[in-house]
Coordinates of all heavy atoms in Angstrom, one line a residue:
E41 N 56.3 81.5 86.6 CA 57.7 81.2 86.6 C 58.1 80.9 88.0 O 58.8 81.7 88.6 CB 58.5 82.4 86.0 CG 58.3 82.6 84.5 CD 58.9 81.5 83.7 OE1 59.8 80.8 84.2 OE2 58.5 81.3 82.5
V42 N 57.7 79.7 88.4 CA 58.0 79.3 89.8 C 58.8 77.9 89.6 O 58.4 77.1 88.8 CB 56.7 79.0 90.6 CG1 57.0 78.4 91.9 CG2 55.9 80.3 90.8
E43 N 59.9 77.8 90.4 CA 60.8 76.7 90.2 C 59.9 75.4 90.4 O 59.2 75.2 91.4 CB 61.8 76.7 91.3 CG 62.7 75.5 91.4 CD 63.6 75.4 90.1 OE1 63.9 76.4 89.5 OE2 64.0 74.2 89.8
G44 N 60.0 74.6 89.3 CA 59.3 73.2 89.5 C 57.9 73.2 89.0 O 57.3 72.2 88.8
L45 N 57.3 74.4 88.7 CA 55.9 74.4 88.3 C 55.8 74.3 86.8 O 56.3 75.0 86.0 CB 55.4 75.8 88.7 CG 53.9 76.0 88.8 CD1 53.3 75.1 90.0 CD2 53.4 77.4 89.0
R46 N 54.9 73.3 86.4 CA 54.8 73.0 85.0 C 53.4 72.4 84.8 O 52.9 71.7 85.7 CB 55.9 72.0 84.6 CG 55.8 70.6 85.2 CD 57.0 69.8 84.7 NE 56.9 68.5 85.3 CZ 57.8 67.5 85.1 NH1 58.9 67.7 84.4 NH2 57.7 66.4 85.7
P47 N 52.8 72.7 83.6 CA 51.5 72.2 83.4 C 51.4 70.7 82.9 O 52.4 70.2 82.4 CB 51.0 73.0 82.2 CG 52.2 73.3 81.5 CD 53.3 73.4 82.6
T48 N 50.4 70.0 83.3 CA 50.1 68.8 82.7 C 49.9 68.9 81.1 O 49.3 69.9 80.7 CB 48.6 68.3 83.1 OG1 48.7 68.0 84.6 CG2 48.3 66.9 82.5
P49 N 50.7 68.1 80.4 CA 50.8 68.4 78.9 C 49.4 68.4 78.3 O 48.5 67.7 78.7 CB 51.5 67.1 78.5 CG 52.4 66.7 79.7 CD 51.5 67.0 80.8
D50 N 49.3 69.2 77.3 CA 48.0 69.4 76.6 C 47.4 68.1 76.1 O 46.3 67.8 76.2 CB 48.1 70.4 75.3 CG 48.3 71.8 75.8 OD1 48.2 72.1 77.1 OD2 48.5 72.6 74.9
R51 N 48.3 67.3 75.5 CA 47.7 66.0 75.0 C 47.4 65.0 76.1 O 46.4 64.2 75.9 CB 48.7 65.3 74.0 CG 50.0 64.8 74.7 CD 50.9 64.3 73.5 NE 52.1 63.6 73.9 CZ 52.4 62.3 73.9 NH1 51.4 61.6 73.4 NH2 53.5 61.9 74.2
V52 N 47.9 65.1 77.3 CA 47.4 64.4 78.3 C 46.1 64.8 78.8 O 45.1 64.0 79.0 CB 48.4 64.4 79.6 CG1 47.8 63.8 80.8 CG2 49.7 63.7 79.2
R53 N 45.9 66.1 78.9 CA 44.6 66.6 79.3 C 43.5 66.3 78.3 O 42.4 66.0 78.6 CB 44.6 68.1 79.6 CG 45.3 68.5 80.8 CD 45.3 70.0 81.2 NE 46.0 70.7 80.2 CZ 45.6 71.7 79.4 NH1 44.3 72.0 79.4 NH2 46.4 72.4 78.6
E54 N 43.8 66.4 77.0 CA 42.9 66.1 76.0 C 42.5 64.6 76.0 O 41.3 64.3 76.0 CB 43.5 66.3 74.6 CG 42.5 66.1 73.4 CD 43.1 66.5 72.1 OE1 44.3 66.9 72.0 OE2 42.3 66.6 71.1
T55 N 43.4 63.7 76.2 CA 43.2 62.3 76.4 C 42.3 62.0 77.7 O 41.2 61.3 77.6 CB 44.4 61.4 76.4 OG1 45.2 61.6 75.2 CG2 44.1 59.9 76.7
L56 N 42.7 62.7 78.7 CA 42.0 62.5 80.0 C 40.5 62.9 79.8 O 39.6 62.1 80.2 CB 42.5 63.3 81.1 CG 41.8 63.5 82.4 CD1 41.5 62.1 83.0 CD2 42.5 64.4 83.3
F57 N 40.3 64.0 79.2 CA 38.8 64.5 79.1 C 38.0 63.6 78.1 O 36.8 63.6 78.1 CB 38.8 66.0 78.9 CG 39.0 66.7 80.2 CD1 40.2 67.1 80.7 CD2 37.8 67.0 81.0 CE1 40.4 67.7 81.9 CE2 37.9 67.7 82.3 CZ 39.2 68.0 82.7
N58 N 38.7 63.2 77.1 CA 38.1 62.2 76.2 C 37.6 60.9 77.0 O 36.5 60.5 76.8 CB 39.0 61.8 75.1 CG 39.2 62.8 74.0 OD1 38.3 63.8 73.9 ND2 40.2 62.8 73.2
W59 N 38.5 60.5 77.9 CA 38.1 59.3 78.7 C 37.0 59.7 79.6 O 35.9 59.0 79.7 CB 39.3 59.0 79.6 CG 40.4 58.3 79.0 CD1 40.5 57.8 77.8 CD2 41.7 58.1 79.6 NE1 41.8 57.3 77.5 CE2 42.5 57.5 78.6 CE3 42.3 58.5 80.8 CZ2 43.9 57.2 78.8 CZ3 43.7 58.1 81.0 CH2 44.4 57.5 80.0
L60 N 37.0 60.9 80.3 CA 35.9 61.2 81.2 C 34.6 61.5 80.5 O 33.6 61.1 81.0 CB 36.4 62.5 82.0 CG 37.5 62.4 83.0 CD1 37.9 63.7 83.6 CD2 37.3 61.3 84.0
N61 N 34.7 62.1 79.3 CA 33.4 62.3 78.5 C 32.8 61.0 78.2 O 31.5 60.9 78.3 CB 33.7 63.0 77.2 CG 33.9 64.5 77.4 OD1 33.5 65.1 78.4 ND2 34.6 65.1 76.4
H62 N 33.5 60.0 77.9 CA 33.0 58.6 77.6 C 32.4 58.0 79.0 O 31.3 57.5 79.0 CB 34.1 57.7 77.0 CG 33.6 56.4 76.8 ND1 32.7 56.0 75.9 CD2 34.0 55.2 77.5 CE1 32.5 54.6 76.0 NE2 33.3 54.2 76.9
L63 N 33.2 58.0 80.0 CA 32.9 57.4 81.3 C 31.7 58.1 81.9 O 30.9 57.4 82.6 CB 34.0 57.3 82.3 CG 35.2 56.5 81.8 CD1 36.4 56.8 82.7 CD2 34.8 55.0 81.8
L64 N 31.4 59.3 81.7 CA 30.4 60.1 82.3 C 29.3 60.4 81.3 O 28.4 61.2 81.6 CB 31.0 61.5 82.8 CG 32.0 61.3 83.9 CD1 32.7 62.7 84.1 CD2 31.5 60.8 85.2
D65 N 29.3 59.8 80.1 CA 28.3 60.1 79.1 C 28.2 61.5 78.8 O 27.1 62.0 78.4 CB 26.9 59.5 79.6 CG 26.9 57.9 79.5 OD1 27.5 57.4 78.6 OD2 26.2 57.4 80.4

Side-chain angles (χ1 to χ4, degrees):
E41 290 291 339
V42 175
E43 177 67 23
L45 199 66
R46 62 184 183 185
T48 297
D50 286 355
R51 69 187 182 103
V52 171
R53 285 187 291 119
E54 183 172 12
T55 299
L56 167 62
F57 279 88
N58 285 340
W59 289 345
L60 293 178
N61 282 341
H62 175 70
L63 295 168
L64 300 171
D65 288 324

